[in-house]
Amino acid sequence: MVAGLTVAERQSAITVSALVALCGIAMAIGGRDDLLGVHGVIVLIAGLSCVFLVLAKYFEPEPSDERLTHYYDDPTKVGIVLALGWAVIGMFVGVWVAALLAWPDLTFDAAWASFGRLRPVHTSGVIFGFGGNALIATSFHVLQRTTRARLPDQFSPWFVLLGYNLFCVLAASGYLMGLTQSKEYAEPEWYADIWLVIVWVVYFLIYIRTLQRRKEPHIYVANWYYMAFILVVAVLHIVNNLAVPVSFGHAKSYSLFSGVQDAMTQWWYGHNAVAFFLTAGFLGMMYYYLPKRAGRPIYSYRLSIISFWGITFMYMWAGSHHLHYTALPQWVQTLGMTFSVVLLVPSWASAGNALATLNGAWHKVRDDATLRFMMVAAIFYGLVTFEGSFMAIRAVNSLSHYTDWTVGHVHVGALGWVAMITFGSFYALVPWMWKVERMYSPKLVEVHFWLALAGTIIYVFAMWNSGIIQGLMWRTYNDSGTLAYSFIDSVVPMHPYYIARAVGGLLFLIGAIVASYNVAMTIRMARVRTTAQGAEIDQPALPAAAPVLQPGE
């Protein structure tokens, strides 16, 4: 890691790390009577750790210019490992949270273990820890291969990767201490938000600088989606997190918006976070790794571009359907509903494009669990986008919203789409990165696939059933015109479904652990072989495993 940096890059790393440590000292001193001080200590430790890490290798020889003839993949490798680590942590907490609903005593009388504090740890752990690291790692890999250009330098990718993970640590530790803005997908406090803006701008600049240096005349379709993900997430994050802190010595802040404007801003962000973090970025992943693994070109390049512009335009206006039956003007609610329904067209264009790409390669899908992960992800993507458009309709929304149906819908996307396409991409990418023929155990990939599929189906069907039962019970009236069931009456029938949800989540967690073990053993296998051969090359060792080039790569 450090040995690959030039002396100038090592000096930059020490300078930036020292500045981070100084910020940590300022936060620790200014927030000594507040939880801000605890985060100051964490930032200080992170900064000093990086300083000592670089100093320990500072006087090692500089890398030769020969490195410039290879792609720079070290940040991608570390990003994969970090993503899998966050996956296990986030999914473990998710199973715990699911079990809490069935067995509330699992808090063990500890405030930090309450549902309200663990739930955001689960959400941020899997979305931002697992999903974010996967997106950063794969985007660096895809960007270099599709542009045939090396990343512009070796320090800024590490700043993005490690800085992003510092943000994730601040977020998760803050939730356990009770620090939250209580905004959907945007719960960290103001200082963590500012840090993320700095990291994200550097990420954007890396992308732009690499594209400027590309050796391909056009920009491959996967990069369109990755670029939309990076650019729009920055816009969403900045607007949604406009807030005024109580003081520079306190962690607490208050939003610049109020009332229904605040709700509209939150859902404009929330729905577009689904669009550009959980959809566009992972579509970029799908558009590169699925055709690569299938050994076939994308079914329709034009369709993928049409889908891109449709998704980019439609999603921006769809957020207000989350605010049906609220103080938001009804025309705004209707506008959001309309765009959500129309959004089905570009969404299914991408799902259909992915499945059509597999025409002529179905025998590979049958035999290759990695490709099956990607195929199932495309099917779940089509399913969740249909369900989302359906649930945006005002009449359906009155039944589904605030029930477990919404929880089931979210997890069709999270487990079926986001996690499946990520694991499929990792299983394709890991052998390429560590230059081995295949994963350590293809049988374990198969085991992981069936665990993940079974877990998703159990989870989603349990939540669909409990959600519809909840919705129907909450809208049932007796002859006198009052509610037929109290809230607690509707909670009791949910118990078996909550147990089923915990079981489904547990199966998915076991699958993630199996994947982590398989990746760890693949890395170990590669190191043993590299030691034996004593040299590395920039392509997979065996020609049979070499990726087939697609148009534009």
Side-chain angles (χ1 to χ4, degrees):
M1 178 178 170
V2 177
L5 303 180
T6 64
V7 170
E9 288 167 341
R10 292 173 196 176
Q11 291 170 348
S12 298
I14 292 172
T15 305
V16 172
S17 301
L19 287 173
V20 170
L22 284 174
C23 289
I25 292 173
M27 290 168 65
I29 295 173
R32 59 187 178 281
D33 299 323
D34 190 86
L35 291 175
L36 177 68
V38 179
H39 273 165
V41 173
I42 293 175
V43 172
L44 174 63
I45 292 172
L48 289 179
S49 299
C50 290
V51 169
F52 287 123
L53 184 68
V54 178
L55 284 177
K57 305 278 185 180
Y58 186 82
F59 294 104
E60 287 198 358
E62 278 194 271
S64 68
D65 290 341
E66 190 265 345
R67 74 186 187 283
L68 301 177
T69 60
H70 303 291
Y71 297 126
Y72 190 46
D73 290 329
D74 289 351
T76 297
K77 293 178 181 177
V78 175
I80 292 171
V81 173
L82 289 171
L84 289 172
W86 279 107
V88 173
I89 294 170
M91 291 175 194
F92 168 75
V93 177
V95 174
W96 188 355
V97 168
L100 267 176
L101 291 176
W103 302 285
D105 290 340
L106 288 175
T107 60
F108 309 110
D109 291 330
W112 63 266
S114 61
F115 181 90
R117 296 195 185 184
L118 288 181
R119 198 281 307 156
V121 174
H122 161 61
T123 308
S124 293
V126 292
I127 291 180
F128 298 116
F130 171 51
N133 276 298
L135 287 169
I136 292 172
T138 57
S139 65
F140 285 160
H141 173 257
V142 172
L143 177 65
Q144 294 182 91
R145 267 64 181 183
T146 54
T147 60
R148 296 192 184 281
R150 185 184 164 90
L151 293 177
D153 67 90
Q154 300 173 125
F155 168 63
S156 58
W158 289 114
F159 176 78
V160 170
L161 187 67
L162 300 180
Y164 180 77
N165 279 276
L166 175 59
F167 164 79
C168 292
V169 169
L170 291 178
S173 59
Y175 303 148
L176 293 176
M177 293 187 294
L179 285 175
T180 173
Q181 287 189 122
S182 302
K183 290 185 173 185
E184 183 85 0
Y185 306 139
E187 291 159 293
E189 277 292 355
W190 60 276
Y191 49 92
D193 292 334
I194 292 173
W195 173 245
L196 184 60
V197 170
I198 297 169
V199 170
W200 215 253
V201 168
V202 175
Y203 187 20
F204 180 71
L205 292 176
I206 289 174
Y207 233 84
I208 293 295
R209 291 167 64 200
T210 308
L211 285 175
Q212 283 179 329
R213 302 164 63 246
R214 71 183 187 275
K215 297 181 177 66
E216 286 292 331
H218 79 284
I219 300 174
Y220 188 69
V221 63
N223 283 317
W224 286 70
Y225 287 92
Y226 277 124
M227 281 294 293
F229 146 66
I230 298 169
L231 180 62
V232 181
V233 164
V235 175
L236 299 172
H237 175 78
I238 291 170
V239 175
N240 188 49
N241 288 296
L242 290 174
V244 179
V246 173
S247 78
F248 289 117
H250 288 80
K252 185 63 189 166
S253 64
Y254 289 95
S255 172
L256 230 57
F257 307 101
S258 62
V260 74
Q261 287 84 8
D262 190 37
M264 184 62 241
T265 306
Q266 286 187 39
W267 276 116
W268 169 78
Y269 166 88
H271 200 74
N272 281 303
V274 172
F276 291 94
F277 198 98
L278 298 173
T279 300
F282 291 94
L283 279 174
M285 205 183 283
M286 183 192 79
Y287 271 116
Y288 182 81
Y289 292 105
L290 187 143
K292 275 289 214 186
R293 188 72 182 188
R296 298 183 59 79
I298 292 173
Y299 171 70
S300 170
Y301 185 85
R302 291 176 182 172
L303 190 60
S304 62
I305 293 296
I306 292 170
S307 171
F308 169 80
W309 285 112
I311 289 173
T312 303
F313 179 74
M314 302 287 181
Y315 255 117
M316 274 293 173
W317 309 96
S320 58
H321 79 256
H322 286 272
L323 296 169
H324 282 318
Y325 306 103
T326 68
L328 191 73
Q330 189 162 341
W331 72 267
V332 184
Q333 300 175 27
T334 305
L335 183 75
M337 179 184 74
T338 306
F339 276 99
S340 297
V341 173
V342 179
L343 190 55
L344 181 62
V345 176
S347 299
W348 273 27
S350 269
N353 207 4
L355 294 176
T357 301
L358 294 172
N359 275 339
W362 290 108
H363 61 288
K364 294 184 179 177
V365 177
R366 182 194 62 200
D367 300 332
D368 184 358
T370 298
L371 197 55
R372 218 177 305 135
F373 263 109
M374 301 181 195
M375 182 271 291
V376 169
I379 292 174
F380 272 110
Y381 177 61
L383 176 63
V384 74
T385 48
F386 169 77
E387 189 185 25
S389 296
F390 184 62
M391 291 170 73
I393 297 171
R394 193 174 173 81
V396 180
N397 192 270
S398 68
L399 174 68
S400 68
H401 218 161
Y402 308 119
T403 72
D404 288 338
W405 187 353
T406 302
V407 179
H409 167 66
V410 168
H411 283 79
V412 173
L415 304 181
W417 160 237
V418 171
M420 292 278 194
I421 192 65
T422 302
F423 283 124
S425 300
F426 276 5
Y427 283 132
L429 178 59
V430 165
W432 296 341
M433 284 292 92
W434 277 272
K435 308 183 195 326
V436 292
E437 181 186 1
R438 56 171 176 78
M439 291 295 298
Y440 166 72
S441 170
K443 287 184 179 177
L444 285 181
V445 179
E446 192 79 31
V447 169
H448 181 197
F449 172 77
W450 290 111
L451 282 170
L453 185 61
T456 304
I457 291 173
I458 292 172
Y459 189 109
V460 169
F461 273 91
M463 289 298 93
W464 279 345
N465 275 285
S466 65
I468 292 172
I469 291 173
Q470 281 175 337
L472 292 175
M473 291 182 77
W474 292 348
R475 59 164 51 182
T476 301
Y477 296 88
N478 55 30
D479 293 339
S480 61
T482 58
L483 291 172
Y485 302 99
S486 67
F487 181 76
I488 194 65
D489 287 337
S490 69
V491 171
V492 173
M494 298 303 110
H495 190 69
Y497 296 113
Y498 288 157
I499 294 175
R501 172 162 78 168
V503 171
L506 181 62
L507 291 178
F508 209 91
L509 169 64
I510 294 171
I513 294 171
V514 169
S516 302
Y517 172 77
N518 207 357
V519 170
M521 292 305 293
T522 305
I523 296 171
R524 182 173 179 273
M525 184 172 73
R527 285 180 177 169
V528 169
R529 208 195 63 178
T530 302
T531 304
Q533 292 182 345
E536 286 192 4
I537 54 177
D538 192 45
Q539 295 296 326
L542 298 179
V548 179
L549 293 179
Q550 304 296 319
E553 295 180 322

